[in-house]
Amino acid sequence: MNHSAMLTQRPASATDLHEVVGFVLTPEELFFCYPKAAWPLTVGQLAAASAERRNSTVALLEGRPAGFANFYQWQHGDFCALGNLMIAPWARGQGVAHYLIAVMERQAREQFKAGRMAVSCFNANAAGLLLYGKLGYRPQAIVERRDPQGRRVALVQLEKTLV
C-alpha cells in the first residue's frame, strides 16, 4: 500500500527524541540501529549522537513521528553514510523506511553533493538487509564486529549510487 501521501518529514527536534527512543523495543534492535549505545536507549544518548551527526530527520505518518535517521559520516562531494535508522513499531510495514531513506538520499545529493550513500547492516538484521537490497544498495564489504555479548558478527557495508 502506498502511504506517501500521508508521509512527511522535517528536521528532528529535541522534543522528538523522547518519542524516538521508544521506537527501539529490544537490545538487539538497539544494536542494529545504534551499536555504541547502551540498553535501554535514552534521550541523552540519542541527543549526544544527534549532536555529532548531521541531518537528524523525523518521518511523520499522518503527522505522528514514525521514523528517524541521520548521517554519521559525510564527505561533501563524495558520500553520506546513513545511521540511526529507527522506525516506530506501530508504523512498521507501512513504507516509512522506504520514504525516509529516499528523503535522506535526496538530502545527501542536494546538501552534500554526494554521489553515493553508504549503509551498514548487521548479518542478523534480515529485514534491514532485504530492505536495502530492494532499494538498490549493493554489498561492498563484510567486516567483523562484536555484539554486546562479545560474539563475532558480520557487518555488511552496502552502497548505492545516487543519481
Side-chain angles (χ1 to χ4, degrees), residues 3-24:
H3 290 275
S4 58
M6 297 179 278
L7 283 161
T8 57
Q9 57 82 27
R10 61 172 165 72
S13 70
T15 55
D16 289 325
L17 301 186
H18 293 275
E19 192 156 354
V20 172
V21 296
F23 292 0
V24 182

Side-chain angles (χ1 to χ4, degrees), residues 35-86:
K36 293 179 182 172
W39 178 259
L41 182 59
T42 64
V43 171
Q45 288 182 93
L46 192 54
S50 295
E52 296 173 351
R53 297 172 179 225
R54 295 292 178 270
N55 293 59
S56 288
T57 301
V58 172
L60 305 164
L61 179 57
E62 296 179 345
R64 182 176 171 196
F68 177 87
N70 55 35
F71 297 131
Y72 69 93
Q73 291 179 333
W74 56 94
Q75 185 72 49
H76 194 85
D78 188 11
F79 79 99
C80 288
L82 183 71
N84 291 153
L85 179 65
M86 305 174 202

Side-chain angles (χ1 to χ4, degrees), residues 98 121 125-136:
H98 287 80
C121 191
N125 186 355
L129 290 170
L130 293 168
L131 170 70
Y132 293 129
K134 186 176 183 180
L135 295 178

